[in-house]
Amino acid sequence: MTKLTLEEKQELIRMALKARESAYVPYSDFMVGAALRAEDGRVFTGCNVENAAFTPTSCAERTALFKAVSEGVTKFTDIAVVGSRRGEINQQITSPCGVCRQALFEFGGPELNVIMAKTPDDFMERSMDELLPFGFGPSNVAGNQAVEDEKED
């Protein structure tokens, strides 16, 4: 897996910041954007989409992930995540929630690089393995076709 340059990381963060602007957050007013980079270099963006019932709410990371998977892309190397209250400058790092960590682990595995940013110049990186130690993925499910497909790649 090729590591991103600083400029590539900053561009991924800028894409996440732009995606954040489309967030539908009438209840929390907390806007999140994500930019997910596939192994082939394509980038899929997403924003959080709230729902009055809350359970159907989709986080930005899963929106980007499901958009990519719906287009046939299932292998990823990096994701940038940003979040802040509407109209505010990021004061803290926003990390993927537990559900998003599990969904990202499914397609990015323990090596997925997670860039959590305030700005393109102020960010931290962690591997999915650091964010979800002992993650449960396709290799944990015996006889799973995805495991067999991974072995062929």
Side-chain angles (χ1 to χ4, degrees):
M1 171 173 35
T2 305
K3 296 285 185 187
L4 296 181
T5 66
L6 175 60
E7 292 78 22
E8 290 170 325
K9 291 173 189 176
Q10 290 173 323
E11 179 59 22
L12 203 62
I13 294 165
R14 282 193 273 289
M15 293 175 80
L17 286 164
K18 185 175 186 320
R20 181 182 68 182
E21 295 308 311
S22 297
Y24 176 76
V25 293
Y27 309 106
S28 73
D29 226 22
F30 192 82
M31 303 168 72
V32 181
L36 178 64
R37 186 174 185 276
E39 275 187 354
D40 66 8
R42 285 187 282 173
V43 176
F44 298 86
T45 60
C47 63
N48 54 326
V49 180
E50 294 181 345
N51 187 285
F54 291 112
T55 301
T57 295
S58 180
C59 296
E61 301 91 325
R62 284 182 286 136
T63 299
L65 177 65
F66 297 159
K67 183 189 300 184
V69 172
S70 74
E71 294 183 26
V73 180
T74 59
K75 294 185 179 181
F76 307 96
T77 58
D78 305 271
I79 187 168
V81 181
V82 297
S84 70
R85 293 195 53 82
R86 185 185 312 277
E88 293 181 5
I89 296 172
N90 289 354
Q91 297 297 318
Q92 62 184 6
I93 296 292
T94 301
S95 68
C97 73
V99 173
C100 287
R101 291 175 191 203
Q102 180 61 48
L104 291 166
F105 191 91
E106 178 79 13
F107 297 98
E111 299 86 24
L112 181 72
N113 184 45
V114 181
I115 304 166
M116 299 163 285
K118 293 180 187 177
T119 70
D121 297 313
D122 187 0
F123 62 89
M124 66 172 22
E125 299 175 80
R126 296 291 185 270
S127 69
M128 186 51 65
D129 193 44
E130 292 174 284
L131 295 178
L132 188 66
F134 307 105
F136 188 88
S139 64
N140 297 102
V141 182
N144 185 316
Q145 185 60 44
V147 174
E148 298 307 315
D149 292 344
E150 283 181 350
K151 290 178 184 174
E152 293 174 14
D153 287 343

